[in-house]
Amino acid sequence: MASDVLLGVDSLIARGLVDQDRLVLTGWSAGGTLVDKLVTMTDRFKVASSGAGISNWISLYGQTDSTAFRRTWFGGTPWRKDAPFDLFWNNSPIKDASKVKTPTLFFAGESDTRVPKEQSVEMFRALKSLNVPTQLVIAPNEGHVWGSLPHLLRKANIELEWFEKYVNHRSYVWEKAPSS
């Protein structure tokens, strides 16, 4: 799936619809997981932003409130006898964190039970230890889908500031919340 995304990007570049020198990568939930995986596969993106992404399929099983469809994907849980640990590990973005060069933001909800914040913390700490520019933002009282306007505005400002810094090499002035 991740390599298909890169083929799609190549197609957009070939058509002249995308500037290959200004590629930005963002995603939330499954999209955040895809961001985490793609930054381990290529450094073509100038900057990335991952929200509520899965970094480690093994540790996720001990953290999440939802394992049903994941058991189907992986043929069971990672702690059963004869579990396919290679399948879990080889599909975990954290496995290839040492390949990441892309400045990457991570966003997580403090109260997310679907993809708990620890998944973002794992990837953030890996990149930080490898001296890859990274930042982790954990929103208090937010679950898997953020709903608080102040948190959403803060997220947008942080992303835009990050994108301006790493793509356009210029500063960004934060937008303020409208007054009532």
Side-chain angles (χ1 to χ4, degrees):
M1 175 168 74
S3 58
D4 292 342
V5 170
L6 295 175
L7 290 174
V9 170
D10 289 337
S11 175
L12 293 171
I13 291 168
R15 294 178 186 177
L17 299 173
V18 173
D19 181 348
Q20 67 184 355
D21 296 323
R22 296 177 44 170
L23 293 175
V24 172
L25 181 62
T26 68
W28 195 272
S29 192
T33 305
L34 185 56
V35 167
D36 291 358
K37 188 66 172 177
L38 283 168
V39 296
T40 70
M41 296 172 62
T42 182
D43 61 0
R44 294 174 59 190
F45 298 95
K46 301 303 176 204
V47 67
S49 175
S50 170
I54 296 165
S55 64
N56 185 333
W57 288 103
I58 296 170
S59 64
L60 178 75
Y61 268 81
Q63 300 165 352
T64 186
D65 67 352
S66 174
T67 60
F69 67 91
R70 294 173 181 124
R71 284 194 304 269
T72 303
W73 295 348
F74 293 107
T77 65
W79 46 77
R80 74 180 199 287
K81 184 179 177 173
D82 300 322
F85 281 104
D86 287 350
L87 184 61
F88 286 100
W89 184 243
N90 290 334
N91 284 286
S92 295
I94 197 87
K95 171 190 172 278
D96 295 311
S98 64
K99 297 176 183 177
V100 178
K101 305 283 186 268
T102 306
T104 307
L105 284 170
F106 295 97
F107 293 95
E110 178 185 54
S111 303
D112 188 346
T113 57
R114 185 66 24 99
V115 180
K117 67 184 180 300
E118 288 74 16
Q119 290 295 307
S120 295
V121 170
E122 284 188 44
M123 200 70 175
F124 165 75
R125 286 188 176 161
L127 298 193
K128 187 143 183 88
S129 74
L130 295 164
N131 296 313
V132 174
T134 188
Q135 185 177 346
L136 171 65
V137 177
I138 299 174
N141 303 314
E142 290 287 3
H144 192 61
V145 177
W146 291 14
S148 163
L149 180 59
H151 291 155
L152 292 170
L153 182 60
R154 182 168 181 248
K155 176 191 176 289
N157 278 316
I158 290 169
E159 278 182 320
L160 290 170
E161 182 175 63
W162 195 259
F163 298 165
E164 285 291 328
K165 178 179 182 177
Y166 289 103
V167 177
N168 297 319
H169 309 288
R170 60 187 183 203
S171 61
Y172 171 76
V173 177
W174 278 38
E175 292 290 332
K176 297 195 184 336
S179 55
S180 304

